[in-house]
Amino acid sequence: AAELPDDEDQRLNALQASGLLAPALRGTFDKVAKRVADAFDCPMAELLLVTREAELLHGSVTTVGGDGDEEPEHAAERSLSMAAHVVASGTPLIVPDVLRDARFATHPGLNERGIRFFAAAPLLDDAGRALGALCVMDTEPRSLNHRDIMLLENLAADVVTTAQMERDEREHAPVTTSPTQPPTAAGGPAEAAPA
């Protein structure tokens, strides 16, 4: 299991305030995952958010295994979370070959899915706190160069920006009704008075 960040309580508050957890963004983040998988020519990509107890799957695409059903939002307990390692360090995690990495060679979630390559960049807020991770995976070992890692980091930054923009739009949306305005003065056609 990954260690907890020193500012875990602040990080959890930042996750709640970030807008990343908005259910309406799940479809958007599924598209992001597909774009990431295509960019790295990998069969799997996921957007994972790390809460106090678990990692939440909030966007995914896979072209190998499974039956095509939407995966559950609850992806793993935090003790088994790969994204939690990214959150703990606040830096990208690159595992060229899972089976040759002593930290993860016996990881049940990776082995069950046949994952050999795992790479993730943190989803960082403005204060540099890692709220989750944007991950890409393959069933074959592979490596990333410096440019690839920068691309993954930039895509992760785009995810956070998208969530912030959506959150700000919701917060500044015009109010359609006024609680002090009588219902009959709403501007619509007045009902005819009974004869």
Side-chain angles (χ1 to χ4, degrees):
E3 295 182 2
L4 292 178
D6 292 335
D7 61 347
E8 178 65 2
D9 288 338
Q10 293 93 329
R11 190 195 71 81
L12 291 169
N13 290 336
L15 174 60
Q16 289 295 328
S18 68
L20 285 165
L21 291 165
L25 285 175
R26 175 62 194 262
T28 298
F29 290 157
D30 283 343
K31 292 175 184 175
V32 169
K34 185 177 188 317
R35 192 172 73 196
V36 172
D38 290 345
F40 290 92
D41 194 25
C42 282
M44 292 169 278
E46 295 177 347
L47 191 149
L48 298 166
L49 305 175
V50 179
T51 68
R52 189 178 299 277
E53 303 294 338
E55 69 177 23
L56 303 180
L57 183 68
H58 207 40
S60 67
V61 64
T62 180
T63 58
V64 296
D67 54 10
D69 292 340
E70 183 175 322
E71 295 192 44
E73 185 176 279
H74 183 275
E77 299 296 330
R78 185 159 178 171
S79 61
L80 293 174
S81 168
M82 294 295 288
H85 288 274
V86 181
V87 165
S89 69
T91 60
L93 172 64
I94 313 299
V95 185
D97 188 347
V98 168
L99 296 184
R100 292 181 177 272
D101 191 309
R103 298 170 297 174
F104 308 118
T106 59
H107 190 286
L110 299 179
N111 291 341
E112 181 181 320
R113 299 167 66 188
I115 293 171
R116 294 288 300 275
F117 166 76
F118 178 92
L123 302 171
L124 300 173
D125 70 359
D126 293 338
R129 289 180 287 252
L131 310 179
L134 183 62
C135 314
V136 62
M137 294 153 286
D138 202 341
T139 55
E140 300 292 335
R142 57 187 300 172
S143 60
L144 296 183
N145 58 36
H146 181 66
R147 183 175 298 227
D148 293 333
I149 296 171
M150 287 184 60
L151 173 59
L152 189 58
E153 289 179 301
N154 289 338
L155 290 168
D158 288 346
V159 167
V160 177
T161 299
T162 297
Q164 290 172 339
M165 290 174 61
E166 292 281 344
R167 177 200 62 199
D168 292 345
E169 285 181 12
R170 287 193 305 272
E171 289 178 354
H172 295 99
V175 178
T176 55
T177 59
S178 172
T180 59
Q181 187 177 29
T184 55
E191 292 184 11

